[in-house]
Amino acid sequence: MPCSRTTPLKSSFALLVGLAILARAPSVRAESATLGQEGAAAHALDRLGYGPRPGDLQAVTAEGVDRWIDVQLNPERIPVPADLQQRLDSFETLRLSPVELFKQYGPPRAERGVKPTPEEMKASRQRARVIMAEAVQARFLRAVDSPRQLQEVMVDFWFNHFNVSAAKGLDYLWTGSFEETAIRPHVFGRFRDLLEATAKHPAMLFYLDNWQNTEPGSPGAKRREDGLNENYARELMELHTLGVDGGYTQQDVIALAHILTGWGLPPGRGGGRPGLPPPSPDGFYFDAERHDFSDKVFLGHTIRGSGQAEVEQVLDILARSPTTAHHLSYQLAQYFVADEPDPVLVDVLAKRYLATDGNIREVLRTLFHSEQFWDRKTFEAKYKTPYQYVVSAVRAAGVPMLNARPLYGTAAQMGMPVYAYLTPEGYKNTRDAWLSPDATAKRLTFATALAAGRLPVDRPPPPEAAPGEAPMPKPPGGALVGLAMPASDGVAAEPAIKPVPLDAQAILAGLGHRFGPRTLDAINTADPKLQAAMVLGSPEFMQR
Amino acid sequence: MDRRSFLRLSALGLGAGLIPVGRSGWAAQGGTGGKRLVVVFLRGAVDGLNVVVPYADPAYHDLRPSIAIPRPGAAVGALDLDGHFGLHPALASLMPLWQQRNLAFIHASGSPDTTRSHFDAQLDIETGTPGRRTTDGWMNRLLAVLPGPHTANQGVAFGPTVPRILSGKLQVANLPMGKEMGKASILDQPAVSSAFDKLYAGTDAMSVAYRQAQQSRQEVMATIDHETQEADNGAPPPDGFAGDARRLARLIANDPSIQLAFLALGGWDTHVNQGGATGQLANRLKPLGDGLASFVEGLGQAYRDTVILVVSEFGRTAHENGNGGTDHGHGNAMWLLGGGVAGGRVYGAWPGLGTGQLHEGRDLAVTTDFRSVIGTIAQRHLRLPDTALNTIMPAMPQAPGEITRIVGA
């Protein structure tokens, strides 16, 4: 038994949680000599964050792991460093509303019936590249540098759960805003609020096509908007809430599509219709003229035809469903604990979810205090995704983070371009999905370049690429899809100044006692110039 | 900001550490007598009814008032195949293969499972065990029953990850798709590779993947080395899928050890404004058709022994939706091309698009189980014994008679 303190609790554990007594339960974390406070701190930093930076391990150990976790669950208690905030504040497009983004950067409109030329369209796309460039830069800056590590992990988790793609149509305008306004404010809140925020954001309305979903023959139906579109209705159940085996039928998909008719984007390029009040800048608009006002039967519930309130009612049903609770709990347990999580843990989390009306913070608190989370077998047993790998490497290296392009480009080459996964199920986080020969070689190439100081992450990026410069790598399966994404440099870049190799011993000290004797022996007997690359390229560092 | 300069720096010493696996060294004779199978997966569910267009079906044009492909003979109409079906005009570059009787379609084919989830349906096709979904993929099981020694590049996934279809007990290679393939890497430096060799010397999954990468890379570098001598007078292949396809074909043609290959292309989930003879779907089909034609050309002599299977997870609704697109459906068309394909023919019993003929009143029905097509390829093209079939496709239904004649002689 790795954790002697937990043994008496085991049999009654699920029951206790079911009774919701564990809301502020003491940790079941082992404090045995084999694990040690520092081992616990390393595990927490690896799972609740993107791994330790030099000094983090000692700081979290000194603070106490339980306290650190509690603070991470309440990120407003953690000040954002002034220099990080200053860099974030410089990204002006992150603060624009969806309607503003469309007006300032959207495709040019026809003037007096004359369509914009292809050159004008291209110039507009070129101008809009700044939006994704800033979003990518902000995402990596925060992942690497923010002390609110769990918040950044949860932003990635929920963005991925509600995936949209900048590679689809107009979503190059809105994907950054989606994360900033629909995901980020709700990552620890009620799932119901998160669900509604994503349902109303133009990035989602566009990505899963619901902006065109129209009741056939309704007063507002016209040309391309004269009929049902099932896309969002299906994925809302399959991916966002109930899960694919959630018990819904094709009839439920169709009923939900009817309920969602008219749930979309403001007409008139965001300006609204004459005679009606102007739409809000958040870019959501319910068009009653395209809605089906008849009564529907959805998942056995009768939904009275009433317009927008039908969707509110349906989101309530979906968010409160035990099936949804189970689906989300499975995903959280898989992300934070193990590729094949213990069903007992999933049940415990689902009960907590239902008992707290979908309070994400409380579900996470239960998770981080579960015996499964602290089981020694789970330590360093999750294979990092490409994104987690590059972010954790830069953190471990302790280099200042000024330029995200090499990280973005490397993750993209490994099949994980941030914000550009084409299909709505999002990236997987299992070893099976990511461990491959080519990916292994790419990680080692990256580790070698970073360790040699040849990766320009610590230098400000040049201005947004000129046309034709540095095309971005293609997303998996996306060879046929054009992208409007920031230029990326992959792992290879011209060192503008003399590269400064990293100090292997400093990195080792920052990562703690995770390395096996074989790895340490290989590192310590290697050419000193390669030692830092070997630390960041070691099997132990591939896992979290 | 230029990767080439960096690679120049890092490539000093390139080649010195390569084990001379020479082209003749590893795989002069594959166990299948040089037979290959390349699977192209169109992820997102391509609209098969607008790819292989049933223009003579009386319901087709009514179901698709704004997206139907015009009849053959009309301006940008379908390219007539057999008087009943026509090919999407964006795929014109495949017509010579049809005329050479090297291109066949199996219409109204698909999975017996009726899920309309992309992700479940892709798993059904990739595992070859619809509804049950084994943890391994059928191409990996196929690899296991191929006779002869298993070499590093016998099964190759092109792309940054190994998809389910190739996952399983046997190690497979994965290689990058684009121009990156065969470029110098810092791992070619002997000092660097021997340092990492020490870290990845175990029997764990990461060590196995590492060694697979190194071996696979050595073979590719040896092939590419040879290849550069006979490239198109030094001109690089074009950008986009046609260029990628040509590079892959050359690699396959020059490395006889590659027997099974897989690649996936996305962007087919056309719920909105998919267009007809022109438009979004046409814009995706065009590079696909051009790429396949370029792939065939790049294969050269190896084309004779290669079968290329194009498959998607399910078809799309027979009727267009309210937004000039189509929603998730059921039956689709599989495409088969290759020197040994009995082509120039659309196979499969046509269930019709009329009321009462559609699956659940909305989708093309499935009359040919996808597994029987794959089983036929395994048997008649890769020459595997009947006993191996149950390993590859457990519980596979008996193939309809005409399907068993689709390839091989």
Side-chain angles (χ1 to χ4, degrees):
Chain A
M1 287 307 300
C3 351
S4 56
R5 266 182 58 183
T6 70
T7 314
L9 266 176
K10 253 186 177 167
S11 56
S12 55
F13 187 72
L15 178 66
L16 284 173
V17 174
L19 296 171
I21 292 170
L22 269 185
R24 305 284 298 182
S27 174
V28 296
R29 179 165 51 77
E31 313 244 348
S32 70
T34 52
L35 178 60
Q37 280 292 340
E38 197 186 282
H43 182 57
L45 280 158
D46 276 2
R47 296 288 172 95
L48 277 71
Y50 295 105
R53 287 199 299 190
D56 280 358
L57 210 48
Q58 293 73 16
V60 174
T61 308
E63 181 181 358
V65 176
D66 285 344
R67 197 184 130 70
W68 184 78
I69 290 175
D70 193 51
V71 173
Q72 286 293 322
L73 283 165
N74 296 279
E76 64 287 350
R77 292 193 210 154
I78 311 169
V80 176
D83 63 326
L84 174 60
Q85 192 56 53
Q86 203 181 344
R87 280 180 288 164
L88 294 172
D89 288 345
S90 72
F91 301 133
E92 290 172 7
T93 61
L94 274 192
R95 293 192 298 275
L96 294 179
S97 73
V99 170
E100 276 303 317
L101 285 165
F102 185 83
K103 283 183 177 159
Q104 290 190 28
Y105 293 101
R109 62 190 306 176
E111 296 284 350
R112 287 186 293 273
V114 181
K115 281 189 181 169
T117 64
E119 290 72 32
E120 286 168 331
M121 294 295 281
K122 202 176 160 192
S124 152
R125 283 296 285 255
Q126 192 65 38
R127 203 169 57 246
R129 287 169 70 122
V130 64
I131 305 172
M132 286 319 299
E134 291 192 342
V136 165
Q137 188 77 7
R139 166 67 93 89
F140 279 95
L141 268 181
R142 288 199 267 217
V144 171
D145 275 350
S146 174
R148 301 174 173 181
Q149 280 283 288
L150 180 59
Q151 182 174 47
E152 298 314 312
V153 164
M154 292 312 296
V155 165
D156 180 52
F157 177 88
W158 287 122
F159 179 90
N160 200 55
H161 179 84
F162 292 104
N163 185 52
V164 299
S165 176
K168 177 168 172 174
L170 289 177
D171 269 7
Y172 64 91
L173 295 170
W174 293 321
T175 298
S177 159
F178 178 75
E179 178 168 300
E180 203 63 16
T181 62
I183 302 289
R184 181 170 285 279
H186 303 289
V187 296
F188 293 114
R190 282 175 74 235
F191 180 75
R192 173 67 177 79
D193 297 334
L194 176 62
L195 184 63
E196 177 157 343
T198 61
K200 285 183 166 172
H201 197 283
M204 183 64 80
L205 293 164
F206 188 89
Y207 178 61
L208 289 177
D209 304 317
N210 206 69
W211 69 290
Q212 295 198 326
N213 182 22
T214 303
E215 183 59 18
S218 59
K222 59 177 190 318
R223 294 186 310 135
R224 288 288 184 215
E225 294 175 4
D226 186 18
L228 288 188
N229 192 303
E230 295 174 7
N231 201 11
Y232 180 59
R234 178 182 304 282
E235 307 302 8
L236 177 56
M237 291 192 284
E238 174 177 334
L239 300 172
H240 299 170
T241 58
L242 302 174
V244 68
D245 299 317
Y248 56 89
T249 64
Q250 176 62 31
Q251 285 317 304
D252 291 318
V253 173
I254 293 171
L256 184 50
H258 280 282
I259 291 165
L260 285 163
T261 47
W263 182 270
L265 299 170
R269 294 177 62 96
R273 288 201 182 120
L276 291 174
S280 86
D282 62 15
F284 169 75
Y285 185 80
F286 178 75
D287 187 353
E289 294 192 2
R290 294 190 291 121
H291 183 71
D292 170 10
F293 278 91
S294 69
D295 294 348
K296 297 100 178 168
V297 176
F298 171 67
L299 295 174
H301 302 263
T302 298
I303 311 290
R304 300 273 169 228
S306 59
Q308 197 171 338
E310 295 168 49
V311 181
E312 302 288 347
Q313 193 184 344
V314 157
L315 295 182
D316 284 343
I317 292 169
L318 290 172
R320 290 196 174 131
S321 158
T323 317
T324 297
H326 194 272
H327 178 220
L328 299 176
S329 297
Y330 180 91
Q331 290 189 315
L332 286 167
Q334 185 183 55
Y335 187 94
F336 283 105
V337 182
D339 286 0
E340 290 177 26
D342 181 354
V344 174
L345 174 65
V346 175
D347 285 347
V348 166
L349 299 179
K351 282 181 186 142
R352 188 77 190 127
Y353 176 98
L354 293 170
T356 60
D357 198 19
N359 184 319
I360 298 165
R361 180 182 283 109
E362 293 312 313
V363 175
L364 287 174
R365 195 190 305 280
T366 300
L367 196 163
F368 299 143
H369 289 100
S370 70
E371 59 178 304
Q372 290 88 347
F373 182 77
W374 290 107
D375 186 336
R376 187 67 184 82
K377 287 200 297 293
T378 70
F379 281 40
E380 288 147 40
K382 280 285 288 186
Y383 187 72
K384 291 174 183 171
T385 67
Y387 176 72
Q388 289 165 343
Y389 176 71
V390 297
V391 171
S392 68
V394 173
R395 282 177 62 80
V399 295
M401 163 73 192
L402 296 174
N403 176 11
R405 284 191 200 175
L407 304 188
Y408 173 83
T410 303
Q413 283 181 359
M414 295 174 188
M416 200 173 188
V418 172
Y419 298 135
Y421 189 67
L422 212 50
T423 51
E425 84 282 23
Y427 293 116
K428 296 185 175 61
N429 62 65
T430 55
R431 169 199 292 245
D432 283 353
W434 294 113
L435 175 58
S436 79
D438 187 52
T440 305
K442 286 199 169 88
R443 286 182 188 210
L444 302 183
T445 308
F446 170 82
T448 308
L450 176 62
R454 286 194 181 123
L455 214 58
V457 285
D458 54 352
R459 277 147 257 169
E464 195 35 42
E469 193 189 320
M472 104 150 218
K474 290 161 189 156
L480 301 179
V481 180
L483 282 168
M485 292 292 281
S488 66
D489 310 313
V491 298
E494 177 92 46
I497 52 173
K498 191 171 164 25
V500 181
L502 302 180
D503 176 358
Q505 293 307 320
I507 302 173
L508 276 174
L511 289 171
H513 302 288
R514 68 181 71 207
F515 298 95
R518 191 174 75 191
T519 297
L520 285 175
D521 183 57
I523 292 171
N524 289 328
T525 55
D527 178 349
K529 287 203 294 291
L530 288 172
Q531 287 180 355
M534 292 172 76
V535 177
L536 298 175
S538 65
E540 288 87 342
F541 195 71
M542 298 297 156
Q543 316 228 87
R544 61 185 176 103
Chain B
M1 294 292 119
D2 160 2
R3 61 183 273 113
R4 245 170 282 139
S5 327
F6 174 73
L7 288 168
R8 266 204 307 276
L9 290 175
S10 61
L12 305 166
L14 162 68
L18 289 182
I19 299 163
V21 273
R23 289 175 64 247
S24 53
W26 65 79
Q29 280 306 313
T32 56
K35 300 286 183 194
R36 272 88 172 263
L37 171 63
V38 179
V39 176
V40 179
F41 205 116
L42 306 182
R43 295 197 192 278
V46 68
D47 181 21
L49 289 171
N50 270 13
V51 172
V52 182
V53 182
Y55 68 83
D57 192 299
Y60 173 75
H61 287 86
D62 292 343
L63 286 164
R64 301 184 157 213
S66 79
I67 62 165
I69 309 297
R71 290 165 189 283
V76 282
L79 309 168
D80 191 31
L81 294 175
D82 61 359
H84 188 267
F85 295 104
L87 192 62
H88 193 293
L91 293 173
S93 44
L94 295 181
M95 279 310 276
L97 295 166
W98 175 265
Q99 278 137 14
Q100 292 157 32
R101 311 189 79 75
N102 277 177
L103 169 63
F105 298 97
I106 306 96
H107 223 322
S109 59
S111 171
D113 195 287
T114 58
T115 179
R116 290 190 182 90
S117 155
H118 289 296
F119 319 108
D120 274 3
Q122 288 175 21
L123 284 183
D124 281 338
I125 305 272
E126 291 185 63
T127 60
T129 50
R132 293 200 295 123
R133 297 167 203 145
T134 45
T135 52
D136 57 1
W138 65 262
M139 289 185 82
N140 196 285
R141 298 195 297 271
L142 175 55
L143 207 53
V145 295
L146 287 180
H150 296 296
T151 54
N153 286 353
Q154 193 179 17
V156 182
F158 289 101
T161 57
V162 175
R164 179 70 77 92
I165 197 168
L166 266 165
S167 299
K169 284 200 197 85
L170 264 86
Q171 270 301 304
V172 297
N174 73 315
L175 298 170
M177 268 281 267
K179 291 177 179 170
E180 194 198 335
M181 186 171 70
K183 283 245 169 102
S185 152
I186 199 155
L187 297 180
D188 297 330
Q189 293 185 18
V192 176
S193 62
S194 63
F196 287 122
D197 286 351
K198 290 200 187 76
L199 289 178
Y200 291 94
T203 53
D204 58 289
M206 282 189 282
S207 294
V208 172
Y210 169 80
R211 288 195 299 271
Q212 168 75 38
Q214 294 296 79
Q215 277 174 33
S216 171
R217 179 169 175 76
Q218 283 170 6
E219 290 193 10
V220 170
M221 293 308 280
T223 303
I224 300 263
D225 250 14
H226 170 81
E227 163 64 18
T228 47
Q229 294 162 18
E230 57 189 65
D232 297 341
N233 301 319
D239 279 330
F241 180 61
D244 289 349
R246 198 171 170 80
R247 266 185 293 272
L248 301 191
R250 290 228 197 95
L251 178 73
I252 292 175
N254 286 295
D255 183 347
S257 77
I258 298 177
Q259 291 182 303
L260 302 182
F262 176 87
L263 62 117
L265 298 168
W268 307 100
D269 195 16
T270 50
H271 286 276
V272 160
N273 195 19
Q274 72 176 58
T278 58
Q280 282 195 60
L281 179 60
N283 293 342
R284 283 169 166 70
L285 288 173
K286 173 84 166 68
L288 173 61
D290 293 354
L292 289 172
S294 147
F295 188 79
V296 166
E297 199 186 308
L299 283 175
Q301 290 296 310
Y303 177 62
R304 205 182 45 201
D305 292 320
T306 304
V307 163
I308 302 154
L309 169 68
V310 182
V311 65
S312 196
E313 65 263 34
F314 44 61
R316 308 191 68 85
T317 46
H319 62 86
E320 70 180 73
N321 67 15
N323 312 135
T326 43
D327 292 324
H328 301 184
H330 192 40
N332 204 335
M334 293 167 91
W335 323 6
L336 213 57
L337 60 159
V341 171
R345 186 174 158 191
V346 180
Y347 291 80
W350 181 246
L353 297 175
T355 319
Q357 294 174 316
L358 294 173
H359 167 74
E360 295 181 2
R362 53 180 262 153
D363 305 330
L364 180 63
V366 167
T367 58
T368 303
D369 189 310
F370 76 97
R371 293 172 294 178
S372 58
V373 176
I374 292 163
T376 299
I377 295 170
Q379 239 177 334
R380 309 257 306 164
H381 173 63
L382 300 172
R383 313 276 167 86
L384 291 172
D386 292 358
T387 49
L389 284 188
N390 196 45
T391 306
I392 306 164
M393 289 282 159
M396 186 183 82
Q398 182 73 37
E402 59 156 6
I403 299 295
T404 62
R405 292 186 287 277
I406 200 164
V407 67

